[in-house]
């Protein structure tokens, strides 16, 4: 179910990239949009799906496994409140510091390309908060063994981007205008992605238990687990920023890297993320049981074999067919 949702999203993502390539190619506006999207995406990846899943799902799943639905609900509300507050502060700071962030992440940009990137960063930064809430929804749904919706929901993000580009092209086909329209479409797609998942989360939780405050059982455990996960994810995010910095030194470099990385990440998402996401709630439940260690070891071994079975041929295919 996870792989099916990811495949649907990625197929629409390829359509979105094809439309993007048709209108913007490897030109300055394409570089500007890629660099601008990178900046809020770094924060999204540090606060959102991957790190939140690894720190929140184990604690939340164990509460569910013990039958403590009230405690699980309170934890979900507290984590949502903390995430929303952190994302709001990060969004406001990102909008205010857009010129500085652009100079750090894309120091090779000059003149109109830099100016366009600053504008796009300011438009795109609200996406950070929306995608962090989407990551919270993913954690809730996965813990309740609802796997398809949270991984298929990003399809609307791609659809909104495609629609924004196509509609904008009827009025103004200048690259800068198209990139700006795509940025607004991307933010709208992020909102739709959240709205698609919230009703299912509300049904599972008996409403949306939003609360500000950390004096809830499990919050400290989530924060303790979150720190090493963020440090690990931070290494990958620093590497991705360096990619963009180096790409900005060559016209079209950031755009070309973006196309290649989208293709390269498909088998990682389709096989690695699918196996990991579906296994994590069960691993968490088994880790909390006295007799769970053998099951834990067996599930980890089976997951690694399954990933290798798909990823190794995929890697060979990419080398031969790139």
């Amino acid at each position: 179910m996870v792989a099916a949702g990811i495949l649907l999203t990625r197929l629409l993502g390829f359509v979105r990239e094809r439309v993007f390539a048709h209108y913007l190619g490897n030109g300055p506006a394409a570089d500007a949009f890629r660099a601008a999207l990178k900046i809020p995406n770094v924060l999204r990846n540090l606060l959102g799906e991957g790190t939140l899943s690894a720190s929140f799902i184990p604690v939340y799943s164990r509460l569910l496994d013990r039958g403590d639905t009230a405690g699980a609900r309170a934890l979900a509300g507290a984590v949502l409140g903390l995430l929303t507050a952190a994302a709001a502060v990060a969004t406001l700071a990102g909008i205010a510091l857009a010129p500085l962030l652009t100079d750090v992440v894309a120091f090779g940009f000059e003149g109109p390309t830099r100016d366009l990137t600053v504008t796009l960063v300011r438009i795109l930064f609200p996406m950070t908060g929306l995608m962090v809430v989407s990551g919270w929804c993913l954690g809730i749904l996965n813990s309740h063994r609802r796997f398809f919706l949270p991984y298929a929901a990003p399809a609307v993000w791609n659809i909104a981007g495609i629609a924004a580009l196509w509609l904008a092209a009827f009025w103004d086909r200048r690259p800068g205008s198209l990139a700006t329209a795509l940025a607004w479409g991307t933010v709208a797609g992020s909102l739709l992605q959240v709205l698609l998942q919230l009703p299912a989360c509300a049904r599972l939780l008996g409403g949306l238990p939003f609360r500000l405050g950390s004096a809830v059982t499990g919050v400290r455990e989530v924060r303790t687990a979150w720190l090493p996960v963020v440090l690990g994810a931070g290494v990958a995010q620093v590497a991705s920023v360096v990619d963009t910095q180096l790409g900005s030194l060559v016209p079209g470099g950031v755009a070309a890297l973006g196309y290649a990385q989208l293709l390269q990440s498909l088998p990682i998402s389709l096989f690695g993320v699918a196996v990991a996401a579906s296994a994590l709630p069960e691993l968490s439940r088994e880790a909390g049981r006295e007799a769970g260690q053998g099951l834990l070891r067996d599930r980890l071994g089976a997951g690694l074999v399954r990933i290798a079975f798909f990823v190794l041929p995929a890697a060979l295919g990419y080398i031969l067919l790139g």
Side-chain angles (χ1 to χ4, degrees), residues 217-243:
T217 301
V219 170
R220 179 177 292 181
E221 196 176 347
V222 171
R223 283 192 310 213
T224 302
W226 182 74
L227 182 59
V229 175
V230 167
L231 292 175
V235 174
Q237 295 311 306
V238 169
S240 71
V241 169
V242 172
D243 286 346

mmCIF file of all heavy atoms in Angstrom, residues 217-243:
data_model
loop_
_atom_site.group_PDB
_atom_site.id
_atom_site.type_symbol
_atom_site.label_atom_id
_atom_site.label_comp_id
_atom_site.label_asym_id
_atom_site.label_seq_id
_atom_site.Cartn_x
_atom_site.Cartn_y
_atom_site.Cartn_z
ATOM 1 N N THR A 217 2.581 12.775 28.819
ATOM 2 C CA THR A 217 3.346 11.529 28.789
ATOM 3 C C THR A 217 3.792 11.203 27.370
ATOM 4 O O THR A 217 2.976 11.182 26.446
ATOM 5 C CB THR A 217 2.485 10.359 29.322
ATOM 6 O OG1 THR A 217 2.084 10.666 30.660
ATOM 7 C CG2 THR A 217 3.268 9.054 29.307
ATOM 8 N N GLY A 218 5.083 10.966 27.199
ATOM 9 C CA GLY A 218 5.626 10.588 25.906
ATOM 10 C C GLY A 218 6.309 11.708 25.145
ATOM 11 O O GLY A 218 7.131 11.453 24.269
ATOM 12 N N VAL A 219 5.983 12.979 25.486
ATOM 13 C CA VAL A 219 6.574 14.104 24.745
ATOM 14 C C VAL A 219 8.086 14.144 24.941
ATOM 15 O O VAL A 219 8.847 14.333 23.986
ATOM 16 C CB VAL A 219 5.929 15.437 25.170
ATOM 17 C CG1 VAL A 219 6.711 16.617 24.582
ATOM 18 C CG2 VAL A 219 4.492 15.506 24.705
ATOM 19 N N ARG A 220 8.522 13.959 26.186
ATOM 20 C CA ARG A 220 9.972 13.980 26.444
ATOM 21 C C ARG A 220 10.662 12.854 25.672
ATOM 22 O O ARG A 220 11.751 13.046 25.126
ATOM 23 C CB ARG A 220 10.236 13.844 27.943
ATOM 24 C CG ARG A 220 11.716 13.833 28.276
ATOM 25 C CD ARG A 220 11.945 13.779 29.772
ATOM 26 N NE ARG A 220 11.523 15.021 30.415
ATOM 27 C CZ ARG A 220 11.626 15.242 31.718
ATOM 28 N NH1 ARG A 220 12.116 14.308 32.517
ATOM 29 N NH2 ARG A 220 11.230 16.389 32.227
ATOM 30 N N GLU A 221 10.024 11.689 25.623
ATOM 31 C CA GLU A 221 10.606 10.563 24.895
ATOM 32 C C GLU A 221 10.710 10.867 23.400
ATOM 33 O O GLU A 221 11.702 10.531 22.750
ATOM 34 C CB GLU A 221 9.749 9.312 25.126
ATOM 35 C CG GLU A 221 10.428 8.016 24.743
ATOM 36 C CD GLU A 221 9.587 6.809 25.076
ATOM 37 O OE1 GLU A 221 8.595 6.941 25.826
ATOM 38 O OE2 GLU A 221 9.910 5.714 24.568
ATOM 39 N N VAL A 222 9.674 11.504 22.849
ATOM 40 C CA VAL A 222 9.699 11.890 21.432
ATOM 41 C C VAL A 222 10.828 12.871 21.168
ATOM 42 O O VAL A 222 11.581 12.738 20.199
ATOM 43 C CB VAL A 222 8.339 12.502 21.013
ATOM 44 C CG1 VAL A 222 8.436 13.103 19.609
ATOM 45 C CG2 VAL A 222 7.242 11.449 21.053
ATOM 46 N N ARG A 223 10.978 13.874 22.052
ATOM 47 C CA ARG A 223 12.043 14.875 21.866
ATOM 48 C C ARG A 223 13.418 14.236 21.986
ATOM 49 O O ARG A 223 14.334 14.576 21.231
ATOM 50 C CB ARG A 223 11.890 15.991 22.895
ATOM 51 C CG ARG A 223 10.786 16.974 22.576
ATOM 52 C CD ARG A 223 10.846 18.210 23.432
ATOM 53 N NE ARG A 223 10.955 17.903 24.852
ATOM 54 C CZ ARG A 223 10.423 18.659 25.816
ATOM 55 N NH1 ARG A 223 9.757 19.739 25.501
ATOM 56 N NH2 ARG A 223 10.571 18.326 27.077
ATOM 57 N N THR A 224 13.563 13.317 22.936
ATOM 58 C CA THR A 224 14.855 12.644 23.118
ATOM 59 C C THR A 224 15.227 11.824 21.890
ATOM 60 O O THR A 224 16.388 11.809 21.460
ATOM 61 C CB THR A 224 14.804 11.740 24.369
ATOM 62 O OG1 THR A 224 14.465 12.537 25.506
ATOM 63 C CG2 THR A 224 16.140 11.064 24.607
ATOM 64 N N ALA A 225 14.241 11.147 21.316
ATOM 65 C CA ALA A 225 14.496 10.342 20.112
ATOM 66 C C ALA A 225 14.697 11.222 18.884
ATOM 67 O O ALA A 225 15.423 10.854 17.954
ATOM 68 C CB ALA A 225 13.335 9.383 19.883
ATOM 69 N N TRP A 226 14.056 12.404 18.890
ATOM 70 C CA TRP A 226 14.093 13.278 17.719
ATOM 71 C C TRP A 226 15.475 13.862 17.484
ATOM 72 O O TRP A 226 15.906 14.002 16.335
ATOM 73 C CB TRP A 226 13.072 14.397 17.917
ATOM 74 C CG TRP A 226 12.950 15.365 16.797
ATOM 75 C CD1 TRP A 226 12.362 15.164 15.579
ATOM 76 C CD2 TRP A 226 13.404 16.725 16.784
ATOM 77 N NE1 TRP A 226 12.420 16.300 14.810
ATOM 78 C CE2 TRP A 226 13.063 17.282 15.536
ATOM 79 C CE3 TRP A 226 14.074 17.516 17.712
ATOM 80 C CZ2 TRP A 226 13.361 18.585 15.184
ATOM 81 C CZ3 TRP A 226 14.371 18.823 17.367
ATOM 82 C CH2 TRP A 226 14.018 19.347 16.123
ATOM 83 N N LEU A 227 16.212 14.189 18.555
ATOM 84 C CA LEU A 227 17.496 14.865 18.408
ATOM 85 C C LEU A 227 18.504 14.065 17.587
ATOM 86 O O LEU A 227 19.050 14.585 16.600
ATOM 87 C CB LEU A 227 18.066 15.216 19.786
ATOM 88 C CG LEU A 227 19.390 15.985 19.767
ATOM 89 C CD1 LEU A 227 19.240 17.303 19.018
ATOM 90 C CD2 LEU A 227 19.886 16.232 21.185
ATOM 91 N N PRO A 228 18.784 12.786 17.909
ATOM 92 C CA PRO A 228 19.738 12.046 17.078
ATOM 93 C C PRO A 228 19.239 11.824 15.656
ATOM 94 O O PRO A 228 20.031 11.785 14.715
ATOM 95 C CB PRO A 228 19.909 10.709 17.820
ATOM 96 C CG PRO A 228 18.746 10.597 18.714
ATOM 97 C CD PRO A 228 18.365 11.993 19.086
ATOM 98 N N VAL A 229 17.911 11.698 15.500
ATOM 99 C CA VAL A 229 17.359 11.540 14.143
ATOM 100 C C VAL A 229 17.605 12.804 13.321
ATOM 101 O O VAL A 229 17.989 12.745 12.149
ATOM 102 C CB VAL A 229 15.845 11.226 14.202
ATOM 103 C CG1 VAL A 229 15.260 11.183 12.805
ATOM 104 C CG2 VAL A 229 15.604 9.894 14.900
ATOM 105 N N VAL A 230 17.408 13.969 13.952
ATOM 106 C CA VAL A 230 17.648 15.240 13.259
ATOM 107 C C VAL A 230 19.124 15.399 12.908
ATOM 108 O O VAL A 230 19.466 15.866 11.811
ATOM 109 C CB VAL A 230 17.164 16.426 14.123
ATOM 110 C CG1 VAL A 230 17.692 17.749 13.585
ATOM 111 C CG2 VAL A 230 15.650 16.460 14.143
ATOM 112 N N LEU A 231 20.005 14.999 13.821
ATOM 113 C CA LEU A 231 21.439 15.088 13.528
ATOM 114 C C LEU A 231 21.806 14.207 12.339
ATOM 115 O O LEU A 231 22.584 14.604 11.465
ATOM 116 C CB LEU A 231 22.247 14.680 14.765
ATOM 117 C CG LEU A 231 22.171 15.633 15.957
ATOM 118 C CD1 LEU A 231 22.898 15.061 17.159
ATOM 119 C CD2 LEU A 231 22.756 16.998 15.583
ATOM 120 N N GLY A 232 21.221 13.007 12.289
ATOM 121 C CA GLY A 232 21.476 12.127 11.151
ATOM 122 C C GLY A 232 20.922 12.695 9.857
ATOM 123 O O GLY A 232 21.596 12.706 8.822
ATOM 124 N N ALA A 233 19.682 13.195 9.924
ATOM 125 C CA ALA A 233 19.072 13.799 8.735
ATOM 126 C C ALA A 233 19.799 15.074 8.340
ATOM 127 O O ALA A 233 19.874 15.417 7.144
ATOM 128 C CB ALA A 233 17.599 14.103 9.006
ATOM 129 N N GLY A 234 20.344 15.797 9.338
ATOM 130 C CA GLY A 234 21.048 17.038 9.049
ATOM 131 C C GLY A 234 22.248 16.838 8.147
ATOM 132 O O GLY A 234 22.565 17.693 7.307
ATOM 133 N N VAL A 235 22.928 15.698 8.295
ATOM 134 C CA VAL A 235 24.074 15.406 7.418
ATOM 135 C C VAL A 235 23.627 15.365 5.961
ATOM 136 O O VAL A 235 24.258 15.954 5.073
ATOM 137 C CB VAL A 235 24.733 14.068 7.829
ATOM 138 C CG1 VAL A 235 25.831 13.688 6.848
ATOM 139 C CG2 VAL A 235 25.288 14.166 9.243
ATOM 140 N N ALA A 236 22.517 14.651 5.713
ATOM 141 C CA ALA A 236 21.995 14.566 4.344
ATOM 142 C C ALA A 236 21.553 15.934 3.836
ATOM 143 O O ALA A 236 21.748 16.267 2.653
ATOM 144 C CB ALA A 236 20.826 13.577 4.295
ATOM 145 N N GLN A 237 20.957 16.754 4.721
ATOM 146 C CA GLN A 237 20.492 18.068 4.294
ATOM 147 C C GLN A 237 21.659 19.009 3.989
ATOM 148 O O GLN A 237 21.599 19.797 3.044
ATOM 149 C CB GLN A 237 19.582 18.673 5.373
ATOM 150 C CG GLN A 237 18.292 17.916 5.589
ATOM 151 C CD GLN A 237 17.576 17.610 4.289
ATOM 152 O OE1 GLN A 237 17.308 18.495 3.484
ATOM 153 N NE2 GLN A 237 17.277 16.339 4.061
ATOM 154 N N VAL A 238 22.724 18.922 4.785
ATOM 155 C CA VAL A 238 23.916 19.716 4.485
ATOM 156 C C VAL A 238 24.485 19.311 3.136
ATOM 157 O O VAL A 238 24.871 20.156 2.315
ATOM 158 C CB VAL A 238 24.974 19.544 5.596
ATOM 159 C CG1 VAL A 238 26.311 20.136 5.172
ATOM 160 C CG2 VAL A 238 24.498 20.214 6.891
ATOM 161 N N ALA A 239 24.510 18.010 2.869
ATOM 162 C CA ALA A 239 25.007 17.526 1.576
ATOM 163 C C ALA A 239 24.156 18.057 0.425
ATOM 164 O O ALA A 239 24.683 18.452 -0.624
ATOM 165 C CB ALA A 239 25.021 15.996 1.554
ATOM 166 N N SER A 240 22.835 18.098 0.617
ATOM 167 C CA SER A 240 21.957 18.583 -0.457
ATOM 168 C C SER A 240 22.137 20.085 -0.679
ATOM 169 O O SER A 240 22.039 20.567 -1.815
ATOM 170 C CB SER A 240 20.495 18.269 -0.133
ATOM 171 O OG SER A 240 20.012 19.072 0.924
ATOM 172 N N VAL A 241 22.415 20.827 0.396
ATOM 173 C CA VAL A 241 22.678 22.265 0.254
ATOM 174 C C VAL A 241 23.985 22.487 -0.507
ATOM 175 O O VAL A 241 24.082 23.362 -1.380
ATOM 176 C CB VAL A 241 22.717 22.944 1.637
ATOM 177 C CG1 VAL A 241 23.264 24.367 1.523
ATOM 178 C CG2 VAL A 241 21.328 22.964 2.244
ATOM 179 N N VAL A 242 25.004 21.674 -0.197
ATOM 180 C CA VAL A 242 26.282 21.787 -0.913
ATOM 181 C C VAL A 242 26.078 21.490 -2.402
ATOM 182 O O VAL A 242 26.679 22.148 -3.268
ATOM 183 C CB VAL A 242 27.337 20.846 -0.290
ATOM 184 C CG1 VAL A 242 28.597 20.810 -1.134
ATOM 185 C CG2 VAL A 242 27.669 21.303 1.121
ATOM 186 N N ASP A 243 25.247 20.495 -2.722
ATOM 187 C CA ASP A 243 24.909 20.222 -4.128
ATOM 188 C C ASP A 243 24.399 21.490 -4.814
ATOM 189 O O ASP A 243 24.811 21.835 -5.928
ATOM 190 C CB ASP A 243 23.808 19.150 -4.221
ATOM 191 C CG ASP A 243 24.322 17.761 -3.904
ATOM 192 O OD1 ASP A 243 25.550 17.573 -3.877
ATOM 193 O OD2 ASP A 243 23.483 16.866 -3.691
#
